Amino acid sequence: MSKKSVLEREKKRRAQVVKYAAKREELKKIILSPSTPKNKMYEAQDQLNRLPRNSSRVRLKKRRFVTGRPRAYIGRF
């Protein structure tokens, strides 16, 4: 079983991902749009970099629900 601190940290990350998901999506649309002016794109990149790192979906780790084990995770079976 994983340490409680690891599980709590993961829970905190999940909450931040949900909280900042809409803001991240909006900024990414601005950055990836070819019609966006350069100064607006750079401003959006700067705002995206200022968001908390843990608000990125990539930083989440899949864990078993009961034990918190990080490896041998089975999603939908």
Side-chain angles (χ1 to χ4, degrees), residues 36-70:
T36 304
K38 292 284 185 192
N39 60 350
K40 185 99 169 163
M41 183 187 69
Y42 292 140
E43 185 180 316
Q45 283 178 339
D46 188 44
Q47 287 178 1
L48 188 64
N49 287 336
R50 289 174 192 253
L51 291 179
R53 284 185 178 181
N54 285 335
S55 66
S56 177
R57 206 174 51 204
V58 173
R59 293 179 67 98
L60 292 178
K61 178 96 172 157
K62 291 184 178 180
R63 294 183 172 273
R64 290 195 55 193
F65 180 71
V66 177
T67 62
R69 179 179 163 83

